[in-house]
C-alpha cells in the first residue's frame, strides 16, 4: 500500500501511525507532488526529488534546514498557528498555503496538505505549486497527475453523500481500490510509464460510474469510488465486477502491453457504518482481505464474506 494515499488530507489515528513507522519515507519516491517530513521543531527530515523541479532546492539541501527559514515573513505567524493546531486539536490533518522561498531567492505560493503523526511526532506534507494556478480551489481539490478529485475532496464530500443517501433511503457504496501489479510496471518501465498507466486507469474508472466526479485518487495506485443505489445491495457487486473487467484490459505503453489487476474493498452506508471515518476504515480492511485472498477481486466489509473477480492475477505485468 502506498503511504502517499494516506497524506492527501484525510485519514489519521493509530492505523496511520503504524504504517508511517513501517514505511516511513517510502511514499516520497512515488509522489508526483512535492513531499516533505518535518519534525516537531520544524526541522526538515526528508524531501523528495520533486522539490528540485518546483523550487530549485535539491532534497539534500533541504534536509536539516528549518522550514521557517523558507517562509515569507508575513506568513510565518499564520503558518505556525496551523502547525500548532494539529498538535493541540483533535484534527489529524489540515491544508493551507504560504509563500515559499525558492533557490533563486524568489517566492512561490505552495499549497500544503499536512498530516501530523503524534506517535512519531512528525508532520507529513504533500505540497502543490500554486504560483501559476488561477483556480486555487480546483487545484487544491484535484490530483495533479490524473485530474481526479483528491483526498481533500473526499473528506469534504463524503459526509454529505452519506447524509443524502440516508435521507432518500438509498445505499451508498464506498469502494477502496488498490492496483495489483502496478509496482512491477514502475520497476520495469519506469515512473513515466507508471504515470501513463495511472492516467489510463483513472479514465476507465470514471467511465464506470454514473457520476464520474465521484472517482477519487487518494494517491499512488489507490482510488476510491462512490456510488448510490435505491436500496439495491447487488449494485455494488455489479459495479465491482465492471471495474475489475475494465482495469484488466491491456494498456499499450511504448510498444509494451501492460496488464494490471485491482483489489477492491467495499463498505456500505448505512449498513456497515454511518460516519465517514469508520466507513473508510472498513473498506480499507476489506481491500486488504481481497489482497490476501488472491488479488484482482472484491470483498465486502460485512459478513458473510462475498467475493467476486478472478482467482488471481497471473497475467499482470509487462509484455514486449
Amino acid at each position: 500500500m502506498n503511504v502517499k494515499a494516506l497524506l492527501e488530507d484525510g485519514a489519521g489515528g493509530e492505523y496511520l501511525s503504524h504504517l508511517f513507522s513501517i514505511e516511513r519515507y517510502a511514499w516520497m519516491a512515488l509522489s508526483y507532488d512535492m513531499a516533505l517530513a518535518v519534525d516537531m521543531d520544524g526541522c526538515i527530515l526528508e524531501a523528495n526529488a520533486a522539490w528540485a523541479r518546483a523550487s530549485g532546492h535539491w532534497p539534500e539541501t533541504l534536509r536539516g534546514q528549518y522550514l521557517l527559514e523558507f517562509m515569507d515573513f508575513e506568513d510565518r505567524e499564520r503558518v505556525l498557528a496551523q502547525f500548532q493546531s494539529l498538535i493541540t486539536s483533535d484534527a489529524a490533518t489540515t491544508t493551507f498555503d504560504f509563500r515559499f522561498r525558492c533557490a533563486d531567492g524568489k517566492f512561490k505560493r505552495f499549497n500544503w496538505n499536512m498530516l501530523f503523526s503524534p506517535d512519531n511526532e512528525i508532520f507529513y506534507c504533500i505540497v502543490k505549486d500554486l504560483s501559476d494556478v488561477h483556480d486555487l480551489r480546483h487545484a487544491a481539490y484535484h490530483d495533479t497527475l490524473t485530474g481526479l478529485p483528491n483526498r481533500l475532496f473526499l473528506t469534504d464530500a463524503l459526509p454529505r453523500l452519506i447524509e443524502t443517501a440516508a435521507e432518500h433511503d438509498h445505499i451508498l457504496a464506498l469502494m477502496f481500490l488498490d492496483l495489483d501489479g502496478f509496482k512491477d510496471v514502475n520497476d520495469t518501465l519506469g515512473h513515466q510509464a507508471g504515470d501513463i498507466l495511472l492516467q489510463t486507469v483513472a479514465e476507465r474508472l470514471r467511465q464506470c460510474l454514473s457520476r464520474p466526479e465521484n472517482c477519487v485518487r487518494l494517491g499512488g495506485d489507490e482510488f476510491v469510488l462512490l456510488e448510490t443505489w435505491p436500496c439495491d445491495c447487488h449494485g455494488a457487486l455489479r459495479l465491482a465486477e465492471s471495474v475489475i473487467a475494465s482495469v484488466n484490459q491491456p494498456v499499450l505503453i511504448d510498444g509494451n502491453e501492460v496488464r494490471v489487476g485491482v483489489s477492491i474493498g467495499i463498505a456500505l452506508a448505512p449498513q456497515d457504518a454511518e460516519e465517514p471515518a469508520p466507513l473508510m476504515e472498513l473498506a480499507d480492511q476489506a481491500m486488504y482481505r481481497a489482497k490476501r485472498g488472491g488479488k484482482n477481486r472484491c470483498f465486502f466489509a460485512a459478513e458473510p464474506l462475498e467475493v467476486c473477480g478472478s482467482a488471481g492475477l497471473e497475467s499482470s505485468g509487462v509484455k514486449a
Side-chain angles (χ1 to χ4, degrees):
M1 182 177 181
N2 178 12
V3 183
K4 178 183 180 292
L6 304 172
L7 303 176
E8 296 281 355
D9 209 51
E14 295 181 1
Y15 179 63
L16 275 178
S17 297
H18 175 67
L19 282 182
F20 284 130
S21 65
I22 295 174
E23 303 186 50
R24 192 169 185 182
Y25 301 132
W27 52 276
M28 287 191 173
L30 296 178
S31 175
Y32 181 85
D33 298 310
M34 292 172 282
L36 204 68
V38 181
D39 69 12
M40 292 278 286
D41 295 325
C43 182
I44 298 172
L45 302 174
E46 189 58 85
N48 67 350
W51 284 92
R53 179 180 68 247
S55 72
H57 293 295
W58 289 94
E60 52 269 24
T61 65
L62 291 173
R63 296 187 197 109
Q65 302 293 317
Y66 286 90
L67 185 58
L68 186 69
E69 299 174 11
F70 297 94
M71 295 181 193
D72 184 277
F73 183 78
E74 295 182 356
D75 293 333
R76 290 183 179 183
E77 183 177 353
R78 173 176 56 86
V79 173
L80 291 177
Q82 293 279 4
F83 272 81
Q84 186 64 30
S85 70
L86 282 183
I87 300 174
T88 58
S89 72
D90 293 332
T93 64
T94 189
T95 182
F96 54 89
D97 61 84
F98 66 84
R99 289 161 291 186
F100 183 92
R101 178 173 52 79
C102 298
D104 60 4
K106 297 180 180 179
F107 285 86
K108 283 188 174 182
R109 184 169 294 278
F110 289 165
N111 177 261
W112 295 66
N113 289 328
M114 183 176 298
L115 178 145
F116 176 64
S117 172
D119 289 348
N120 298 324
E121 295 188 337
I122 294 176
F123 297 94
Y124 298 94
C125 315
I126 294 295
V127 185
K128 297 177 183 291
D129 182 1
L130 301 183
S131 57
D132 296 322
V133 177
H134 298 292
D135 188 347
L136 299 184
R137 179 176 176 82
H138 184 275
Y141 277 79
H142 287 78
D143 173 59
T144 306
L145 177 64
T146 64
L148 294 180
N150 60 16
R151 183 179 285 271
L152 180 58
F153 169 88
L154 180 64
T155 301
D156 286 356
L158 187 53
R160 172 175 46 82
L161 292 173
I162 293 175
E163 181 180 352
T164 301
E167 289 176 353
H168 295 85
D169 197 24
H170 286 181
I171 293 173
L172 172 68
L174 187 149
M175 298 188 173
F176 203 112
L177 281 62
D178 187 281
L179 299 184
D180 303 318
F182 175 75
K183 184 178 184 299
D184 293 338
V185 175
N186 246 3
D187 292 345
T188 304
L189 298 180
H191 290 290
Q192 185 173 2
D195 288 349
I196 294 173
L197 177 59
L198 288 172
Q199 291 168 334
T200 302
V201 169
E203 181 57 32
R204 291 178 180 178
L205 294 177
R206 289 180 71 256
Q207 294 177 5
C208 289
L209 294 175
S210 61
R211 297 177 64 87
E213 64 270 22
N214 287 342
C215 176
V216 177
R217 185 190 179 206
L218 296 185
D221 59 342
E222 292 184 338
F223 301 84
V224 162
L225 303 183
L226 301 163
E227 190 67 276
T228 304
W229 294 273
C231 299
D232 181 4
C233 295
H234 302 291
L237 182 60
R238 291 193 294 267
L239 175 58
E241 291 171 338
S242 174
V243 167
I244 291 173
S246 180
V247 173
N248 285 176
Q249 295 299 311
V251 180
L252 190 63
I253 303 176
D254 294 333
N256 298 291
E257 185 180 277
V258 175
R259 291 179 181 270
V260 293
V262 59
S263 295
I264 305 175
I266 305 172
L268 305 176
Q271 291 91 323
D272 298 328
E274 299 181 6
E275 297 295 331
L279 194 69
M280 281 285 292
E281 184 175 356
L282 288 171
D284 192 21
Q285 292 172 355
M287 184 275 291
Y288 273 110
R289 294 212 310 272
K291 289 281 190 184
R292 293 193 298 267
K295 301 182 180 181
N296 203 40
R297 59 190 65 210
C298 81
F299 267 88
F300 283 78
E303 299 288 350
L305 299 182
E306 298 183 58
V307 186
C308 76
S310 66
L313 185 63
E314 299 177 356
S315 60
S316 65
V318 181
K319 296 181 180 178

